[in-house]
Amino acid sequence: MSTYVYAISASSHPALPDGMGGVGDPPQPVRILKEGDLAAIVSDAPEELRPKRRDLLAHQNVLAKAGRAGCALPMRFGSVAPNDATVTDVLAERTEHYQERLRALDGKIEYNIKASHVEEAVLHRVMAQSPELRALADASRMAGGGSFDDKIRLGDMLAAAVKAQEAEDAAEVPRLLAPVTHAVSVGPASTGWLVNVSFLVDGDSAGQFLAAVERARTSLPHLELRVNGPLPPFCFVEPTGTTASAGAE
Amino acid sequence: MTVVPQQTGGGASSLYDVLELVVDRGLVIDAFVQVSLVGIEILEIDVRVAVASVDTYLRFAEACNRLDLEAGPRKSPGLPDMVGEITESGARGKSKGALSGASQTVSDAFKQARDERSGDEAEAEPRPRKPTAARRKEEQE
């Protein structure tokens, strides 16, 4: 029977989600594998594991429960080991590395922010910034909307301005929020949002972070900011890669 | 305050917004096998392609012609209050344009791909709507 792995934590974690329902139908009960100072949160892997809603949610729920009472390093969805022994072998081999990560992430949570433009508001903004666009829009309006070609020309310029504004906003959001966080991880930029950034935040200063988000909402009213969190530190489990210290520009 | 404020819509409704974190981030260990995510790759569609289309140009031009420039930032360019006011007056809710519209398309495509793979699953809304309304209410308070 292969083993589905949810997370790695310290074996001293005060409330491991032992017995909770995990992935699969019926849900496989969550078990804890301990190896020295480390523990793996696992369950039997279902025969046919697919990225279905139910299993994605089960994965997330186990991570949320594990992260509530202590630090846990979240595995990517769908991590399956051939058996329990492989899991404990990995824990034994890389004890030092995982302990370092657990120490580094102790008491910290991830917030993910996604933003998209509010169309009317962003058009207003780009017009406000460009006399050329305003002149063109005025001419178009006087001509009762203008010809097809006029509209295309105006629309083309507006689209270019909006795109430039996107790039500006993509940089501005992390700039506004980074000072109250430990680390910033910029996610894939082009999948339904113009900003997709995760922040590593001290659990104790989450209120401060959310206040900064509210200020950003006020100063960037043409953006719809969506906040998700607290999340397990998905983007910060490895020390290298896309993460960067907030202070180091 | 001892409880960390929860910002997600909770459970299923927020899944879409964090999906790429669950399936694309997190710890990966070489000794383990990673389940194939066929059907989820569709999330990688570049929505900004949609911005560079004739349809978008026309829609932007039309939207621009409807904007009330006299009341808007022309007289005082860049005045944030003015933009803010327009946003508050409902643009947030009703102008689902190129960007969020494309996001809708992506989530629809995703939903469709998933439905094809697992017809037995009841799918929830692709994106949480409620938090926006709740947020607006908070702002008024």
Side-chain angles (χ1 to χ4, degrees):
Chain A
M1 175 63 80
S2 48
T3 306
Y4 186 95
V5 189
Y6 299 88
I8 292 173
S9 71
S11 54
S12 59
H13 186 294
L16 288 164
D18 200 1
M20 182 180 178
V23 295
D25 184 22
Q28 301 293 317
V30 169
R31 302 179 281 121
I32 308 300
L33 302 177
K34 292 197 176 178
E35 173 65 38
D37 290 335
L38 292 177
I41 300 166
V42 305
S43 71
D44 289 352
E47 285 297 318
E48 282 230 341
L49 183 68
R50 286 204 184 138
K52 284 187 190 176
R53 161 174 301 276
R54 184 187 53 229
D55 286 338
L56 288 164
L57 277 177
H59 181 87
Q60 253 189 309
N61 288 339
V62 171
L63 295 184
K65 181 99 182 279
R68 214 164 288 149
C71 188
L73 306 176
M75 299 293 300
R76 185 175 299 183
F77 175 83
S79 298
V80 177
N83 49 48
D84 287 1
T86 313
V87 180
T88 48
D89 283 353
V90 165
L91 294 186
E93 272 167 34
R94 307 203 66 196
T95 300
E96 230 167 84
H97 175 71
Y98 294 134
Q99 282 186 325
E100 185 277 326
R101 294 319 297 153
L102 285 164
R103 275 195 302 273
L105 295 172
D106 191 31
K108 299 190 178 71
I109 48 182
E110 174 171 334
Y111 279 93
N112 179 262
I113 301 230
K114 290 190 170 65
S116 28
H117 275 152
V118 178
E119 187 174 290
E120 256 180 57
V122 76
L123 288 177
H124 231 293
R125 190 175 181 101
V126 298
M127 298 259 285
Q129 290 164 350
S130 165
E132 200 188 349
L133 270 177
R134 287 199 301 277
L136 199 61
D138 272 350
S140 162
R141 198 189 315 250
M142 288 251 256
S147 68
F148 181 81
D149 286 349
D150 290 341
K151 283 184 191 167
I152 292 289
R153 196 156 71 92
L154 175 59
D156 186 6
M157 283 182 66
L158 285 167
V162 166
K163 202 166 178 191
Q165 185 69 48
E166 273 186 18
E168 202 176 296
D169 292 332
E172 182 68 359
V173 171
R175 197 188 65 78
L176 286 176
L177 300 178
V180 291
T181 68
H182 281 283
V184 179
S185 169
V186 177
S190 53
T191 52
W193 41 76
L194 64 97
V195 175
N196 175 20
V197 195
S198 277
F199 298 90
L200 188 65
V201 177
D202 247 328
D204 294 337
S205 59
Q208 216 183 326
F209 174 76
L210 293 172
V213 172
E214 283 311 316
R215 285 196 298 276
R217 279 192 174 125
T218 309
S219 67
L220 303 168
H222 59 292
L223 283 185
E224 185 196 318
L225 288 181
R226 304 196 298 280
V227 184
N228 272 290
L231 298 165
F234 284 113
C235 299
F236 306 96
V237 281
E238 292 295 352
T240 53
T242 50
T243 63
S245 174
E249 300 250 339
Chain B
M1 191 160 73
T2 53
V3 178
V4 174
Q6 182 77 32
Q7 290 294 302
T8 48
S13 63
S14 64
L15 183 61
Y16 175 75
D17 256 357
V18 296
L19 187 62
E20 106 281 4
L21 299 178
V22 181
V23 301
D24 201 40
R25 299 303 187 99
L27 199 55
V28 173
I29 294 174
D30 294 346
F32 303 168
V33 175
Q34 209 67 32
V35 163
S36 154
L37 297 177
V38 179
I40 285 203
E41 285 148 341
I42 203 151
L43 280 173
E44 298 301 320
I45 292 169
D46 188 343
V47 295
R48 258 167 294 182
V49 170
V51 173
S53 75
V54 169
D55 281 354
T56 310
Y57 296 167
L58 290 177
R59 214 191 51 256
F60 275 13
E62 301 281 353
C64 175
N65 280 333
R66 282 197 307 271
L67 286 182
D68 186 357
L69 288 181
E70 290 304 324
R74 184 167 66 158
K75 285 180 175 168
S76 46
L79 187 66
D81 283 354
M82 203 48 89
V83 179
E85 202 175 286
I86 285 152
T87 307
E88 289 304 298
S89 72
R92 230 182 244 260
K94 67 185 173 194
S95 70
K96 289 294 168 197
L99 306 172
S100 48
S103 143
Q104 184 75 45
T105 310
V106 171
S107 70
D108 285 346
F110 170 62
K111 178 179 183 293
Q112 193 186 347
R114 227 175 5 182
D115 284 349
E116 281 164 10
R117 296 183 54 81
S118 55
D120 59 328
E121 299 268 305
E123 302 300 330
E125 289 298 310
R127 289 223 278 120
R129 300 280 165 201
K130 228 173 173 179
T132 308
R135 189 195 312 142
R136 206 179 299 144
K137 199 178 164 206
E138 275 170 25
E139 281 169 3
Q140 285 164 359
E141 283 166 9

mmCIF file of all heavy atoms in Angstrom, chain A residues 50-91:
data_model
loop_
_atom_site.group_PDB
_atom_site.id
_atom_site.type_symbol
_atom_site.label_atom_id
_atom_site.label_comp_id
_atom_site.label_asym_id
_atom_site.label_seq_id
_atom_site.Cartn_x
_atom_site.Cartn_y
_atom_site.Cartn_z
ATOM 1 N N ARG A 50 -6.702 11.603 -7.963
ATOM 2 C CA ARG A 50 -6.747 12.610 -9.024
ATOM 3 C C ARG A 50 -6.981 13.965 -8.383
ATOM 4 O O ARG A 50 -7.501 14.045 -7.287
ATOM 5 C CB ARG A 50 -7.891 12.297 -9.992
ATOM 6 C CG ARG A 50 -7.582 11.124 -10.879
ATOM 7 C CD ARG A 50 -8.418 11.229 -12.121
ATOM 8 N NE ARG A 50 -8.216 10.055 -12.953
ATOM 9 C CZ ARG A 50 -9.204 9.430 -13.587
ATOM 10 N NH1 ARG A 50 -10.437 9.854 -13.460
ATOM 11 N NH2 ARG A 50 -8.945 8.391 -14.344
ATOM 12 N N PRO A 51 -6.627 15.031 -9.110
ATOM 13 C CA PRO A 51 -6.825 16.361 -8.524
ATOM 14 C C PRO A 51 -8.288 16.763 -8.531
ATOM 15 O O PRO A 51 -8.686 17.714 -9.181
ATOM 16 C CB PRO A 51 -5.970 17.265 -9.414
ATOM 17 C CG PRO A 51 -5.880 16.547 -10.711
ATOM 18 C CD PRO A 51 -5.932 15.088 -10.395
ATOM 19 N N LYS A 52 -9.104 16.048 -7.792
ATOM 20 C CA LYS A 52 -10.524 16.381 -7.691
ATOM 21 C C LYS A 52 -10.716 17.337 -6.534
ATOM 22 O O LYS A 52 -9.937 17.354 -5.588
ATOM 23 C CB LYS A 52 -11.338 15.126 -7.409
ATOM 24 C CG LYS A 52 -11.544 14.213 -8.584
ATOM 25 C CD LYS A 52 -12.506 13.118 -8.152
ATOM 26 C CE LYS A 52 -12.611 12.009 -9.174
ATOM 27 N NZ LYS A 52 -13.466 10.937 -8.656
ATOM 28 N N ARG A 53 -11.833 18.043 -6.614
ATOM 29 C CA ARG A 53 -12.173 18.996 -5.569
ATOM 30 C C ARG A 53 -12.109 18.370 -4.174
ATOM 31 O O ARG A 53 -11.519 18.920 -3.257
ATOM 32 C CB ARG A 53 -13.578 19.538 -5.841
ATOM 33 C CG ARG A 53 -14.267 20.188 -4.667
ATOM 34 C CD ARG A 53 -15.551 20.801 -5.103
ATOM 35 N NE ARG A 53 -15.305 21.791 -6.139
ATOM 36 C CZ ARG A 53 -14.958 23.037 -5.882
ATOM 37 N NH1 ARG A 53 -14.880 23.451 -4.659
ATOM 38 N NH2 ARG A 53 -14.725 23.870 -6.852
ATOM 39 N N ARG A 54 -12.721 17.208 -4.045
ATOM 40 C CA ARG A 54 -12.809 16.602 -2.718
ATOM 41 C C ARG A 54 -11.416 16.318 -2.146
ATOM 42 O O ARG A 54 -11.133 16.583 -0.986
ATOM 43 C CB ARG A 54 -13.615 15.296 -2.808
ATOM 44 C CG ARG A 54 -13.866 14.619 -1.475
ATOM 45 C CD ARG A 54 -14.505 13.255 -1.670
ATOM 46 N NE ARG A 54 -13.727 12.443 -2.592
ATOM 47 C CZ ARG A 54 -14.250 11.776 -3.623
ATOM 48 N NH1 ARG A 54 -15.512 11.813 -3.855
ATOM 49 N NH2 ARG A 54 -13.455 11.059 -4.410
ATOM 50 N N ASP A 55 -10.538 15.783 -2.988
ATOM 51 C CA ASP A 55 -9.218 15.435 -2.496
ATOM 52 C C ASP A 55 -8.335 16.668 -2.281
ATOM 53 O O ASP A 55 -7.533 16.714 -1.351
ATOM 54 C CB ASP A 55 -8.541 14.446 -3.460
ATOM 55 C CG ASP A 55 -9.162 13.054 -3.347
ATOM 56 O OD1 ASP A 55 -9.765 12.769 -2.289
ATOM 57 O OD2 ASP A 55 -9.055 12.275 -4.300
ATOM 58 N N LEU A 56 -8.499 17.670 -3.150
ATOM 59 C CA LEU A 56 -7.752 18.919 -2.950
ATOM 60 C C LEU A 56 -8.136 19.546 -1.613
ATOM 61 O O LEU A 56 -7.286 20.013 -0.849
ATOM 62 C CB LEU A 56 -8.049 19.900 -4.087
ATOM 63 C CG LEU A 56 -7.436 19.561 -5.450
ATOM 64 C CD1 LEU A 56 -8.109 20.372 -6.546
ATOM 65 C CD2 LEU A 56 -5.941 19.817 -5.453
ATOM 66 N N LEU A 57 -9.444 19.525 -1.332
ATOM 67 C CA LEU A 57 -9.916 20.104 -0.072
ATOM 68 C C LEU A 57 -9.446 19.287 1.123
ATOM 69 O O LEU A 57 -9.057 19.845 2.151
ATOM 70 C CB LEU A 57 -11.450 20.187 -0.060
ATOM 71 C CG LEU A 57 -12.053 21.393 -0.750
ATOM 72 C CD1 LEU A 57 -13.570 21.300 -0.731
ATOM 73 C CD2 LEU A 57 -11.591 22.688 -0.079
ATOM 74 N N ALA A 58 -9.464 17.956 0.976
ATOM 75 C CA ALA A 58 -9.012 17.103 2.077
ATOM 76 C C ALA A 58 -7.551 17.403 2.385
ATOM 77 O O ALA A 58 -7.163 17.528 3.557
ATOM 78 C CB ALA A 58 -9.192 15.636 1.701
ATOM 79 N N HIS A 59 -6.747 17.534 1.336
ATOM 80 C CA HIS A 59 -5.329 17.856 1.509
ATOM 81 C C HIS A 59 -5.171 19.173 2.271
ATOM 82 O O HIS A 59 -4.448 19.262 3.256
ATOM 83 C CB HIS A 59 -4.677 17.941 0.124
ATOM 84 C CG HIS A 59 -3.209 18.244 0.128
ATOM 85 N ND1 HIS A 59 -2.249 17.257 0.237
ATOM 86 C CD2 HIS A 59 -2.530 19.413 0.051
ATOM 87 C CE1 HIS A 59 -1.037 17.807 0.220
ATOM 88 N NE2 HIS A 59 -1.186 19.124 0.102
ATOM 89 N N GLN A 60 -5.913 20.174 1.794
ATOM 90 C CA GLN A 60 -5.837 21.494 2.427
ATOM 91 C C GLN A 60 -6.309 21.478 3.875
ATOM 92 O O GLN A 60 -5.732 22.145 4.726
ATOM 93 C CB GLN A 60 -6.741 22.457 1.662
ATOM 94 C CG GLN A 60 -6.002 23.453 0.822
ATOM 95 C CD GLN A 60 -6.957 24.491 0.296
ATOM 96 O OE1 GLN A 60 -7.980 24.167 -0.267
ATOM 97 N NE2 GLN A 60 -6.622 25.755 0.484
ATOM 98 N N ASN A 61 -7.378 20.728 4.134
ATOM 99 C CA ASN A 61 -7.927 20.702 5.492
ATOM 100 C C ASN A 61 -6.960 20.060 6.479
ATOM 101 O O ASN A 61 -6.828 20.529 7.617
ATOM 102 C CB ASN A 61 -9.263 19.951 5.512
ATOM 103 C CG ASN A 61 -10.362 20.758 4.846
ATOM 104 O OD1 ASN A 61 -10.242 21.986 4.717
ATOM 105 N ND2 ASN A 61 -11.414 20.085 4.414
ATOM 106 N N VAL A 62 -6.278 18.997 6.035
ATOM 107 C CA VAL A 62 -5.291 18.367 6.919
ATOM 108 C C VAL A 62 -4.160 19.361 7.199
ATOM 109 O O VAL A 62 -3.719 19.518 8.343
ATOM 110 C CB VAL A 62 -4.740 17.066 6.285
ATOM 111 C CG1 VAL A 62 -3.559 16.535 7.090
ATOM 112 C CG2 VAL A 62 -5.840 16.015 6.187
ATOM 113 N N LEU A 63 -3.717 20.071 6.161
ATOM 114 C CA LEU A 63 -2.652 21.060 6.345
ATOM 115 C C LEU A 63 -3.097 22.177 7.296
ATOM 116 O O LEU A 63 -2.327 22.622 8.147
ATOM 117 C CB LEU A 63 -2.253 21.682 5.007
ATOM 118 C CG LEU A 63 -1.620 20.760 3.968
ATOM 119 C CD1 LEU A 63 -1.199 21.564 2.754
ATOM 120 C CD2 LEU A 63 -0.430 20.030 4.550
ATOM 121 N N ALA A 64 -4.352 22.608 7.127
ATOM 122 C CA ALA A 64 -4.853 23.701 7.966
ATOM 123 C C ALA A 64 -4.880 23.274 9.432
ATOM 124 O O ALA A 64 -4.454 24.019 10.319
ATOM 125 C CB ALA A 64 -6.253 24.114 7.503
ATOM 126 N N LYS A 65 -5.357 22.054 9.660
ATOM 127 C CA LYS A 65 -5.428 21.546 11.032
ATOM 128 C C LYS A 65 -4.022 21.424 11.620
ATOM 129 O O LYS A 65 -3.776 21.819 12.761
ATOM 130 C CB LYS A 65 -6.124 20.178 11.008
ATOM 131 C CG LYS A 65 -6.313 19.522 12.349
ATOM 132 C CD LYS A 65 -7.719 19.748 12.874
ATOM 133 C CE LYS A 65 -7.924 19.138 14.249
ATOM 134 N NZ LYS A 65 -8.197 17.702 14.189
ATOM 135 N N ALA A 66 -3.089 20.894 10.838
ATOM 136 C CA ALA A 66 -1.722 20.708 11.332
ATOM 137 C C ALA A 66 -1.054 22.051 11.597
ATOM 138 O O ALA A 66 -0.270 22.196 12.529
ATOM 139 C CB ALA A 66 -0.910 19.904 10.326
ATOM 140 N N GLY A 67 -1.376 23.044 10.768
ATOM 141 C CA GLY A 67 -0.721 24.341 10.888
ATOM 142 C C GLY A 67 -1.276 25.190 12.020
ATOM 143 O O GLY A 67 -0.660 26.166 12.439
ATOM 144 N N ARG A 68 -2.447 24.835 12.503
ATOM 145 C CA ARG A 68 -3.106 25.660 13.513
ATOM 146 C C ARG A 68 -2.363 25.627 14.847
ATOM 147 O O ARG A 68 -2.220 26.640 15.499
ATOM 148 C CB ARG A 68 -4.557 25.190 13.689
ATOM 149 C CG ARG A 68 -5.526 26.303 13.997
ATOM 150 C CD ARG A 68 -6.955 25.862 13.775
ATOM 151 N NE ARG A 68 -7.274 25.723 12.366
ATOM 152 C CZ ARG A 68 -8.149 24.840 11.872
ATOM 153 N NH1 ARG A 68 -8.787 24.010 12.675
ATOM 154 N NH2 ARG A 68 -8.389 24.782 10.581
ATOM 155 N N ALA A 69 -1.891 24.438 15.223
ATOM 156 C CA ALA A 69 -1.315 24.305 16.569
ATOM 157 C C ALA A 69 0.211 24.333 16.578
ATOM 158 O O ALA A 69 0.834 24.412 17.628
ATOM 159 C CB ALA A 69 -1.811 23.013 17.207
ATOM 160 N N GLY A 70 0.823 24.242 15.411
ATOM 161 C CA GLY A 70 2.279 24.227 15.363
ATOM 162 C C GLY A 70 2.747 24.375 13.942
ATOM 163 O O GLY A 70 1.946 24.601 13.040
ATOM 164 N N CYS A 71 4.058 24.235 13.759
ATOM 165 C CA CYS A 71 4.591 24.435 12.409
ATOM 166 C C CYS A 71 4.582 23.119 11.633
ATOM 167 O O CYS A 71 4.933 22.067 12.167
ATOM 168 C CB CYS A 71 6.012 24.984 12.494
ATOM 169 S SG CYS A 71 6.673 25.471 10.900
ATOM 170 N N ALA A 72 4.149 23.162 10.389
ATOM 171 C CA ALA A 72 4.178 21.988 9.517
ATOM 172 C C ALA A 72 4.600 22.429 8.127
ATOM 173 O O ALA A 72 4.152 23.470 7.639
ATOM 174 C CB ALA A 72 2.806 21.325 9.477
ATOM 175 N N LEU A 73 5.466 21.653 7.497
ATOM 176 C CA LEU A 73 5.891 21.965 6.133
ATOM 177 C C LEU A 73 4.932 21.285 5.168
ATOM 178 O O LEU A 73 4.886 20.055 5.099
ATOM 179 C CB LEU A 73 7.314 21.439 5.884
ATOM 180 C CG LEU A 73 8.399 21.874 6.881
ATOM 181 C CD1 LEU A 73 9.728 21.185 6.541
ATOM 182 C CD2 LEU A 73 8.560 23.389 6.877
ATOM 183 N N PRO A 74 4.145 22.070 4.419
ATOM 184 C CA PRO A 74 3.139 21.463 3.551
ATOM 185 C C PRO A 74 3.767 20.796 2.328
ATOM 186 O O PRO A 74 4.619 21.381 1.667
ATOM 187 C CB PRO A 74 2.273 22.662 3.124
ATOM 188 C CG PRO A 74 3.200 23.832 3.196
ATOM 189 C CD PRO A 74 4.179 23.542 4.306
ATOM 190 N N MET A 75 3.336 19.580 2.023
ATOM 191 C CA MET A 75 3.754 18.928 0.782
ATOM 192 C C MET A 75 2.869 19.446 -0.346
ATOM 193 O O MET A 75 1.721 19.844 -0.121
ATOM 194 C CB MET A 75 3.572 17.412 0.873
ATOM 195 C CG MET A 75 4.370 16.711 1.955
ATOM 196 S SD MET A 75 6.150 16.748 1.688
ATOM 197 C CE MET A 75 6.286 15.901 0.122
ATOM 198 N N ARG A 76 3.404 19.404 -1.559
ATOM 199 C CA ARG A 76 2.571 19.699 -2.719
ATOM 200 C C ARG A 76 1.497 18.611 -2.832
ATOM 201 O O ARG A 76 1.738 17.464 -2.453
ATOM 202 C CB ARG A 76 3.442 19.700 -3.974
ATOM 203 C CG ARG A 76 2.691 20.107 -5.222
ATOM 204 C CD ARG A 76 3.636 20.209 -6.397
ATOM 205 N NE ARG A 76 4.672 21.228 -6.170
ATOM 206 C CZ ARG A 76 5.589 21.545 -7.066
ATOM 207 N NH1 ARG A 76 5.630 20.938 -8.227
ATOM 208 N NH2 ARG A 76 6.490 22.471 -6.800
ATOM 209 N N PHE A 77 0.316 19.001 -3.341
ATOM 210 C CA PHE A 77 -0.754 18.015 -3.495
ATOM 211 C C PHE A 77 -0.274 16.836 -4.346
ATOM 212 O O PHE A 77 0.390 17.029 -5.350
ATOM 213 C CB PHE A 77 -1.977 18.639 -4.165
ATOM 214 C CG PHE A 77 -3.069 17.641 -4.446
ATOM 215 C CD1 PHE A 77 -3.972 17.298 -3.454
ATOM 216 C CD2 PHE A 77 -3.174 17.037 -5.687
ATOM 217 C CE1 PHE A 77 -4.964 16.359 -3.700
ATOM 218 C CE2 PHE A 77 -4.160 16.098 -5.941
ATOM 219 C CZ PHE A 77 -5.060 15.762 -4.936
ATOM 220 N N GLY A 78 -0.615 15.626 -3.901
ATOM 221 C CA GLY A 78 -0.344 14.450 -4.716
ATOM 222 C C GLY A 78 1.012 13.816 -4.506
ATOM 223 O O GLY A 78 1.510 13.135 -5.392
ATOM 224 N N SER A 79 1.628 14.038 -3.324
ATOM 225 C CA SER A 79 2.922 13.406 -3.049
ATOM 226 C C SER A 79 2.692 12.011 -2.478
ATOM 227 O O SER A 79 2.113 11.859 -1.403
ATOM 228 C CB SER A 79 3.721 14.236 -2.045
ATOM 229 O OG SER A 79 3.990 15.506 -2.571
ATOM 230 N N VAL A 80 3.164 11.006 -3.192
ATOM 231 C CA VAL A 80 2.914 9.621 -2.785
ATOM 232 C C VAL A 80 4.234 8.862 -2.687
ATOM 233 O O VAL A 80 5.034 8.877 -3.632
ATOM 234 C CB VAL A 80 1.982 8.919 -3.801
ATOM 235 C CG1 VAL A 80 1.782 7.461 -3.422
ATOM 236 C CG2 VAL A 80 0.639 9.636 -3.877
ATOM 237 N N ALA A 81 4.463 8.230 -1.541
ATOM 238 C CA ALA A 81 5.654 7.398 -1.346
ATOM 239 C C ALA A 81 5.252 5.934 -1.526
ATOM 240 O O ALA A 81 4.099 5.574 -1.281
ATOM 241 C CB ALA A 81 6.222 7.625 0.045
ATOM 242 N N PRO A 82 6.204 5.095 -1.970
ATOM 243 C CA PRO A 82 5.875 3.683 -2.188
ATOM 244 C C PRO A 82 5.381 3.001 -0.909
ATOM 245 O O PRO A 82 4.546 2.107 -0.960
ATOM 246 C CB PRO A 82 7.199 3.064 -2.648
ATOM 247 C CG PRO A 82 8.080 4.194 -3.015
ATOM 248 C CD PRO A 82 7.588 5.419 -2.325
ATOM 249 N N ASN A 83 5.903 3.401 0.239
ATOM 250 C CA ASN A 83 5.479 2.802 1.506
ATOM 251 C C ASN A 83 5.924 3.693 2.676
ATOM 252 O O ASN A 83 6.641 4.682 2.474
ATOM 253 C CB ASN A 83 6.073 1.398 1.665
ATOM 254 C CG ASN A 83 7.565 1.419 1.375
ATOM 255 O OD1 ASN A 83 8.283 2.269 1.894
ATOM 256 N ND2 ASN A 83 8.033 0.511 0.521
ATOM 257 N N ASP A 84 5.521 3.326 3.895
ATOM 258 C CA ASP A 84 5.869 4.121 5.074
ATOM 259 C C ASP A 84 7.388 4.215 5.281
ATOM 260 O O ASP A 84 7.908 5.262 5.682
ATOM 261 C CB ASP A 84 5.234 3.506 6.331
ATOM 262 C CG ASP A 84 3.722 3.730 6.378
ATOM 263 O OD1 ASP A 84 3.188 4.337 5.416
ATOM 264 O OD2 ASP A 84 3.095 3.313 7.367
ATOM 265 N N ALA A 85 8.079 3.115 4.995
ATOM 266 C CA ALA A 85 9.520 3.089 5.263
ATOM 267 C C ALA A 85 10.261 4.133 4.426
ATOM 268 O O ALA A 85 11.210 4.765 4.905
ATOM 269 C CB ALA A 85 10.072 1.692 4.980
ATOM 270 N N THR A 86 9.798 4.348 3.195
ATOM 271 C CA THR A 86 10.435 5.369 2.354
ATOM 272 C C THR A 86 10.302 6.746 3.007
ATOM 273 O O THR A 86 11.226 7.562 2.971
ATOM 274 C CB THR A 86 9.773 5.409 0.954
ATOM 275 O OG1 THR A 86 9.656 4.086 0.468
ATOM 276 C CG2 THR A 86 10.572 6.250 -0.002
ATOM 277 N N VAL A 87 9.141 6.989 3.613
ATOM 278 C CA VAL A 87 8.904 8.287 4.248
ATOM 279 C C VAL A 87 9.836 8.477 5.441
ATOM 280 O O VAL A 87 10.510 9.507 5.561
ATOM 281 C CB VAL A 87 7.426 8.408 4.710
ATOM 282 C CG1 VAL A 87 7.188 9.765 5.365
ATOM 283 C CG2 VAL A 87 6.483 8.221 3.525
ATOM 284 N N THR A 88 9.905 7.476 6.298
ATOM 285 C CA THR A 88 10.765 7.627 7.484
ATOM 286 C C THR A 88 12.240 7.681 7.079
ATOM 287 O O THR A 88 13.029 8.386 7.714
ATOM 288 C CB THR A 88 10.513 6.485 8.497
ATOM 289 O OG1 THR A 88 10.532 5.237 7.814
ATOM 290 C CG2 THR A 88 9.177 6.663 9.196
ATOM 291 N N ASP A 89 12.606 6.992 5.991
ATOM 292 C CA ASP A 89 13.980 7.087 5.497
ATOM 293 C C ASP A 89 14.316 8.520 5.095
ATOM 294 O O ASP A 89 15.398 9.031 5.403
ATOM 295 C CB ASP A 89 14.178 6.174 4.268
ATOM 296 C CG ASP A 89 14.315 4.710 4.671
ATOM 297 O OD1 ASP A 89 14.388 4.440 5.888
ATOM 298 O OD2 ASP A 89 14.319 3.846 3.769
ATOM 299 N N VAL A 90 13.373 9.157 4.400
ATOM 300 C CA VAL A 90 13.597 10.544 3.971
ATOM 301 C C VAL A 90 13.752 11.451 5.194
ATOM 302 O O VAL A 90 14.635 12.311 5.243
ATOM 303 C CB VAL A 90 12.437 11.035 3.063
ATOM 304 C CG1 VAL A 90 12.463 12.547 2.915
ATOM 305 C CG2 VAL A 90 12.504 10.363 1.701
ATOM 306 N N LEU A 91 12.904 11.240 6.197
ATOM 307 C CA LEU A 91 12.998 12.051 7.415
ATOM 308 C C LEU A 91 14.367 11.865 8.081
ATOM 309 O O LEU A 91 14.983 12.827 8.542
ATOM 310 C CB LEU A 91 11.891 11.666 8.411
ATOM 311 C CG LEU A 91 10.445 11.952 8.001
ATOM 312 C CD1 LEU A 91 9.493 11.637 9.159
ATOM 313 C CD2 LEU A 91 10.276 13.402 7.558
#
